[in-house]
Amino acid sequence: MELHDIWFVLIAVLWTGYFFLEGFDFGVGILTRLLARDRTEKRVLINTIGPVWDGNEVWLLTAGGATFAAFPEWYATLFSGFYLPLLAILICLIIRGVAFEYRAKRPEESWQRRWETAIFWTSLIPAFLWGVAFGNIVRGVKLDADFEYVGHVWELLNPYALLGGLVTLTLFTFHGAVFTALKTVGEIRQRARTMATRVGLVTAALAAAFLLWTQADKGDGSSLVALVAAVAALVAALAANRAGREGWSFAFSGVTIVAAVAMLFLTLFPNVMPSTLNEDWSLTVTNASSSPYTLKIMTWLAVIATPVVLLYQGWTYWVFRKRIGTQHIADPVH
């Protein structure tokens, strides 16, 4: 296996880790509007992800940086052709981070309500747009002989990509509901389980349609295995949630995300961005990659740094592993 193939796999792993981790905190952000009944319950939901949401976003920064360094042509084409949707995601992530930090800075109800609304929308919009973006990457876009996107931004809103957006939106919401049930106690935990069942059934229908469409269009034997694993894991997550086994349900919902993202990258390889105008104009792991020397240096850095990051983030989750409820929310001090 060549170094550019290895880095394609590593970038797939980074995006998978990002969707696994950021997926549930996007879901929790969405549930602040759908699940919480009062301001105290909203604080409970926000506190479940408060210690970890910014660490989860590190995976996005690493995935973007690795793409820039390992596949500069891919990075350039992606961020120029998908400029508006990626800019919308970036703005949402900035506002979302500010909302988490500023929400409790003032006691006025109107102030807190505005930031809570911001958390909801800046969780929902990226959860949808990431699915649209990856749907277009897998489907292919209009690239010319210079590997430049020559289509219109509205062409990115095609049926396949929109279905992909609905899948990520519902899947992340389901993932977040399961995480909420895992991290809370009392009535909110029970309502989270009920919400997970309802959203999970919708997710199953949308995901089955999207993954089968992907398999029929671009799939092979390996992607079929990933498809079966994603569907089986989602069914297992629903069953575990119904049985009150939140830990197993969260693990299986995570496996669903991992298998689904793996399927998309399996159908994509060896392309990194197919051209719908001419197959010869597609970006591949070969023509989009950096020099072998650059990839070699990056590989050594990844070998050294990755275990440290994983250990630190794992320790963070261990420290904040306990469940919380409304009884743990103290009166705000200003």
Side-chain angles (χ1 to χ4, degrees), residues 167 170-175 178 196-209 211 226-242 248-260:
V167 170
T170 55
L171 181 55
F172 291 169
T173 306
F174 171 70
H175 197 40
V178 172
T197 298
R198 294 173 180 172
V199 177
L201 293 174
V202 176
T203 303
L206 293 173
L211 296 179
L227 186 157
V228 173
V231 173
L234 184 54
V235 172
L238 284 166
N241 176 70
R242 186 175 181 83
W248 282 107
S249 184
F250 180 72
F252 281 123
S253 67
V255 172
T256 303
I257 293 175
V258 170

Side-chain angles (χ1 to χ4, degrees), residues 5-169:
D5 297 329
I6 293 174
W7 272 97
F8 179 86
V9 174
L10 291 176
I11 288 171
V13 170
L14 290 172
W15 280 111
T16 302
Y18 174 67
F19 288 142
F20 178 93
L21 296 172
E22 190 84 308
F24 71 73
D25 74 46
F26 279 149
V28 172
I30 294 169
L31 292 173
T32 57
R33 175 69 65 89
L34 303 180
L35 184 65
R37 291 180 175 174
D38 54 36
R39 181 143 288 106
T40 301
E41 290 191 351
K42 288 183 179 180
R43 289 179 64 189
V44 171
L45 290 176
I46 292 171
N47 285 357
T48 62
I49 59 173
V52 298
W53 68 266
D54 49 354
N56 295 342
E57 290 188 357
V58 170
W59 288 76
L60 173 62
L61 299 176
T62 308
T67 303
F68 172 75
F71 299 101
E73 281 283 0
W74 185 14
Y75 182 94
T77 301
L78 178 64
F79 279 80
S80 59
F82 292 18
Y83 179 78
L84 288 179
L86 292 178
L87 178 62
I89 291 173
L90 177 60
I91 292 173
C92 284
L93 294 180
I94 293 172
I95 295 174
R96 188 169 183 263
V98 172
F100 282 129
E101 299 296 335
Y102 274 50
R103 176 191 170 277
K105 296 300 183 183
R106 290 173 56 178
E108 293 88 351
E109 183 176 338
S110 58
W111 169 273
Q112 295 186 6
R113 187 185 301 113
R114 282 195 292 268
W115 288 118
E116 289 163 0
T117 301
I119 290 172
F120 170 75
W121 286 109
T122 56
S123 298
L124 185 149
I125 293 172
F128 176 73
L129 289 181
W130 280 125
V132 173
F134 271 83
N136 279 292
I137 291 173
V138 172
R139 172 182 175 270
V141 292
K142 292 181 177 179
L143 300 183
D144 63 13
D146 296 321
F147 307 129
E148 294 182 0
Y149 178 64
V150 294
H152 195 278
V153 65
W154 299 114
E155 295 176 23
L156 300 177
L157 302 178
N158 54 80
Y160 177 79
L162 290 174
L163 179 58
L166 291 175
V167 170
T168 52
L169 175 59

